[in-house]
């Protein structure tokens, strides 16, 4: 039987806790294919027992998938020019459901990005189909906007860009909110390498 290591530096096993069910499907050569995504969704559906739902069986406590940034796909669906792959970061923002509040939040995000020497290249409205969702999920559903950001005065890539957008995401989530300190925006991810699609879903609803 394996035992966790004892306290060491900043690590303390007292802080260990169980996590949600997680599955990994990878291509050892880094090839990005739709088949890989399909297998990942199928694997996720086999983890349905790790999720939870209440009286509203069509509202789950959350399901999602992390994939490589599909650069070619995004170039087909956005109405603005994207810089070279790896020199921009993207993520899906959960914004207020009120259109005016959502637009104000997008403006605030662009302003914070400027202070981090980043520039918002553009926004994409993410197509969604809420029809399979339960009442509780629909009642809490935000609006979804995908942001694309890059270096403002210089081309950034790799860890330089990842560090910069990590700080941007944290600042956005801590600085944009209501008078009670509750954030009005959330990013499942903001990265030049990967993107997360997630929601208040049961596992079979994610593919839809």
């Amino acid at each position: 039987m394996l035992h966790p290591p004892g306290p060491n530096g900043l690590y303390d096993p007292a802080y260990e806790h169980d996590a949600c069910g997680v599955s990994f499907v990878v291509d050892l050569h880094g090839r990005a294919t739709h088949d890989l995504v399909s297998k990942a969704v199928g694997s996720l559906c086999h983890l349905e027992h790790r999720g939870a739902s209440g009286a509203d069986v069509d509202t789950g406590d959350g399901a999602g998938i992390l994939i490589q940034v599909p650069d070619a796909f995004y170039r087909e669906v956005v109405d603005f020019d994207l810089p070279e792959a790896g020199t921009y970061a993207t993520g899906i923002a959960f914004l207020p459901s009120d259109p005016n509040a959502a637009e104000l939040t997008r403006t605030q995000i662009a302003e914070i990005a400027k202070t981090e020497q980043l520039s918002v290249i553009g926004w994409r409205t993410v197509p969604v189909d809420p029809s399979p969702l339960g009442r509780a999920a629909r009642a809490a559903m935000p609006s979804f906007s995908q942001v694309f950001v890059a270096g403002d005065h210089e081309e950034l890539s790799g860890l330089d860009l990842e560090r910069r957008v990590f700080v941007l995401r944290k600042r956005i989530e801590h600085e944009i909110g209501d008078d009670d300190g509750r954030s009005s925006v959330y990013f499942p991810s903001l990265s030049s390498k990967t993107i997360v699609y997630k929601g208040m879903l049961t596992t079979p609803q994610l593919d839809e």
Side-chain angles (χ1 to χ4, degrees), residues 25-39 67-70:
V25 181
V26 300
D27 183 293
L28 294 179
H29 302 285
R31 294 169 295 197
T33 65
H34 187 266
D35 179 62
L36 201 64
V37 176
S38 297
K39 288 177 179 175
I67 62 173
Q68 289 174 294
V69 168

Side-chain angles (χ1 to χ4, degrees), residues 63-131:
I65 185 172
L66 179 148
I67 62 173
Q68 289 174 294
V69 168
D71 175 71
F73 170 70
Y74 290 148
R75 292 181 188 278
E76 292 180 3
V77 298
V78 299
D79 57 1
F80 47 85
D81 292 331
L82 289 172
E84 183 181 349
T87 64
Y88 69 88
T90 185
I92 298 174
F94 291 14
L95 301 177
S97 56
D98 176 74
N100 292 329
E103 182 59 33
L104 175 60
T105 302
R106 282 190 286 267
T107 300
Q108 292 172 309
I109 289 171
E111 291 171 350
I112 295 175
K114 281 286 186 184
T115 67
E116 292 296 336
Q117 288 77 55
L118 294 167
S119 178
V120 172
I121 305 168
W123 291 89
R124 170 182 175 239
T125 300
V126 181
V128 296
D129 176 14
S131 59

Side-chain angles (χ1 to χ4, degrees), residues 149-200:
V149 298
D152 192 10
H153 302 298
E154 60 179 325
E155 182 180 284
L156 297 172
S157 62
L159 282 178
D160 290 335
L161 180 56
E162 290 295 300
R163 290 187 181 109
R164 195 79 61 87
V165 296
F166 175 82
V167 173
L168 174 64
R169 179 168 64 90
K170 291 300 183 181
R171 284 193 58 193
I172 290 169
E173 293 175 352
H174 284 86
E175 296 179 22
I176 302 178
D178 58 24
D179 293 336
D180 295 326
R182 290 174 297 196
S183 179
S184 60
V185 59
Y186 168 71
F187 281 94
S189 66
L190 185 59
S191 172
S192 63
K193 302 177 183 298
T194 59
I195 187 162
V196 171
Y197 289 92
K198 68 179 288 189
M200 201 170 169

Side-chain angles (χ1 to χ4, degrees), residues 17-26 39-40 42-51 62-66 203:
H17 57 83
D18 288 337
C20 299
V22 178
S23 175
F24 294 90
V25 181
V26 300
K39 288 177 179 175
S43 178
L44 176 68
C45 288
H46 287 295
L47 295 173
E48 188 173 6
H49 65 285
R50 293 301 306 269
I65 185 172
L66 179 148
T203 51

